[in-house]
PDB file of all heavy atoms in Angstrom:
ATOM      1  N   THR A  44     -54.479 -16.747  17.564  1.00  0.00           N
ATOM      2  CA  THR A  44     -53.803 -18.055  17.199  1.00  0.00           C
ATOM      3  C   THR A  44     -53.794 -18.286  15.705  1.00  0.00           C
ATOM      4  O   THR A  44     -52.946 -19.093  15.227  1.00  0.00           O
ATOM      5  CB  THR A  44     -54.393 -19.195  17.919  1.00  0.00           C
ATOM      6  OG1 THR A  44     -55.776 -19.352  17.528  1.00  0.00           O
ATOM      7  CG2 THR A  44     -54.340 -19.036  19.454  1.00  0.00           C
ATOM      8  N   GLY A 190     -55.059   1.115   9.772  1.00  0.00           N
ATOM      9  CA  GLY A 190     -55.287   0.012   8.837  1.00  0.00           C
ATOM     10  C   GLY A 190     -55.521  -1.285   9.498  1.00  0.00           C
ATOM     11  O   GLY A 190     -55.435  -2.325   8.871  1.00  0.00           O
ATOM     12  N   PRO A 385     -27.064   1.439  27.100  1.00  0.00           N
ATOM     13  CA  PRO A 385     -25.916   0.582  27.091  1.00  0.00           C
ATOM     14  C   PRO A 385     -26.245  -0.915  26.844  1.00  0.00           C
ATOM     15  O   PRO A 385     -25.376  -1.682  26.370  1.00  0.00           O
ATOM     16  CB  PRO A 385     -25.267   0.793  28.421  1.00  0.00           C
ATOM     17  CG  PRO A 385     -26.346   1.315  29.303  1.00  0.00           C
ATOM     18  CD  PRO A 385     -27.264   2.098  28.388  1.00  0.00           C
ATOM     19  N   GLY A 427     -22.193  -4.354  11.826  1.00  0.00           N
ATOM     20  CA  GLY A 427     -21.973  -4.882  13.180  1.00  0.00           C
ATOM     21  C   GLY A 427     -23.136  -5.764  13.626  1.00  0.00           C
ATOM     22  O   GLY A 427     -24.070  -6.040  12.854  1.00  0.00           O
ATOM     23  N   VAL A 639     -58.647 -16.663   0.691  1.00  0.00           N
ATOM     24  CA  VAL A 639     -57.502 -15.789   0.778  1.00  0.00           C
ATOM     25  C   VAL A 639     -57.655 -14.650  -0.265  1.00  0.00           C
ATOM     26  O   VAL A 639     -58.214 -14.821  -1.313  1.00  0.00           O
ATOM     27  CB  VAL A 639     -56.155 -16.507   0.620  1.00  0.00           C
ATOM     28  CG1 VAL A 639     -55.996 -17.021  -0.834  1.00  0.00           C
ATOM     29  CG2 VAL A 639     -54.983 -15.640   0.986  1.00  0.00           C
TER      30      VAL A 639
END
Side-chain angles (χ1 to χ4, degrees):
T44 61
V639 67

